[in-house]
Amino acid sequence: DAGITQSPRHKVTETGTPVTLRCHQTENHRYMYWYRQDPGHGLRLIHYSYGVKDTDKGEVSDGYSVSRSKTEDFLLTLESATSSQTSVYFCAISPGDFNYGYTFGSGTRLTVV
Amino acid sequence: SQQGEEDPQALSIQEGENATMNCSYKTSINNLQWYRQNSGRGLVHLILIRSNEREKHSGRLRVTLDTSKKSSSLLITASRAADTASYFCATRGAGSYQLTFGKGTKLSVIP
């Protein structure tokens, strides 16, 4: 998707290993979000950022941490991957706080074996 | 917990027909948004309606919002096969940074 890229697109990892997913944007948007999408649950917010070094937890933050050292990059780390974290992860960006839509990346499909 | 819930979960129509999807939510909102997701892709923002608006149009899309009933509908007129996708409503709670998504309606448009 224009202005936002996620890497890697696919990853298979073993239980117990740390994993980092990267979201990179070229839009200079202030707000960045990490969601996971699972069948039967829709999209659920993991963490979000409202500026460099400013982050907060979402609905399903346990087992995840984030960092944002630059406006353009928002990293999601699974500290010790578990099978329950097998999911599709989406990053989203937004220029403002309330009356703006989100632009989503293409997603990272993560499988924990 | 999910704020918005779409209905129906799945909808199958013939090309050229209109498709209507509904969304209900539970708490006060600042705005409500609709997104489309094609299979294996990210979500695409379609339309945003603020809590003080009742109806909004964008091309073949018409969105209504009834805050007294805490519900919204998305109408796609003259559907095309390319409209086949999942459609999600998302709500922004009053004073919240977070956008909360429903589980989606899967629309199939048969050529």
Side-chain angles (χ1 to χ4, degrees):
Chain A
D1 290 294
I4 178 172
T5 55
Q6 292 184 234
S7 59
R9 290 297 311 276
H10 302 272
K11 186 169 182 68
V12 179
T13 193
E14 293 187 348
T15 299
T17 60
V19 177
T20 295
L21 309 183
R22 181 180 183 235
C23 179
H24 179 77
Q25 60 141 332
T26 58
E27 304 294 325
N28 200 36
H29 285 345
R30 179 180 174 190
Y31 295 86
M32 300 185 76
Y33 307 84
W34 277 107
Y35 283 86
R36 59 178 290 175
Q37 185 175 32
D38 304 287
H41 290 278
L43 278 88
R44 293 179 291 174
L45 181 65
I46 305 171
H47 281 281
Y48 64 98
S49 170
Y50 46 96
V52 173
K53 296 192 191 314
D54 292 323
T55 64
D56 206 347
K57 296 178 180 180
E59 179 186 354
V60 291
S61 60
D62 287 348
Y64 302 94
S65 62
V66 290
S67 66
R68 191 166 177 204
S69 58
K70 298 185 289 185
T71 298
E72 56 266 35
D73 289 324
F74 193 32
L75 304 180
L76 176 71
T77 297
L78 287 66
E79 293 141 10
S80 177
T82 67
S83 58
S84 65
Q85 293 176 312
T86 292
S87 186
V88 181
Y89 291 86
F90 288 100
C91 177
I93 60 175
S94 173
D97 48 6
F98 294 119
N99 289 310
Y100 293 89
Y102 289 6
T103 301
F104 278 83
S106 298
T108 294
R109 183 173 294 274
L110 177 68
T111 303
V112 183
V113 298
Chain B
S1 61
Q2 296 296 334
Q3 164 74 309
E5 292 291 339
E6 294 91 343
D7 172 66
Q9 291 185 335
L11 179 61
S12 184
I13 60 173
Q14 295 289 130
E15 201 166 30
E17 293 180 339
N18 295 342
T20 300
M21 288 159 269
N22 301 297
C23 172
S24 60
Y25 58 92
K26 297 176 182 174
T27 62
S28 296
I29 61 171
N30 178 276
N31 64 62
L32 185 145
Q33 304 179 27
W34 286 91
Y35 289 78
R36 182 188 74 235
Q37 184 181 34
N38 292 92
S39 181
R41 307 292 296 273
L43 281 75
V44 174
H45 180 254
L46 296 176
I47 199 164
L48 180 153
I49 186 165
R50 301 185 187 194
S51 60
N52 61 354
E53 297 175 314
R54 292 297 166 258
E55 187 171 314
K56 208 161 182 180
H57 297 255
S58 177
R60 293 184 296 113
L61 306 180
R62 173 179 168 250
V63 170
T64 61
L65 179 64
D66 187 335
T67 53
S68 67
K69 295 181 179 178
K70 292 187 169 56
S71 67
S72 173
S73 68
L74 170 67
L75 169 68
I76 304 174
T77 59
S79 63
R80 306 166 181 168
D83 294 327
T84 293
S86 291
Y87 291 82
F88 295 86
C89 74
T91 54
R92 171 90 73 177
S96 172
Y97 284 121
Q98 302 183 31
L99 200 59
T100 304
F101 287 80
K103 297 178 183 178
T105 291
K106 190 169 185 178
L107 174 66
S108 298
V109 181
I110 303 165

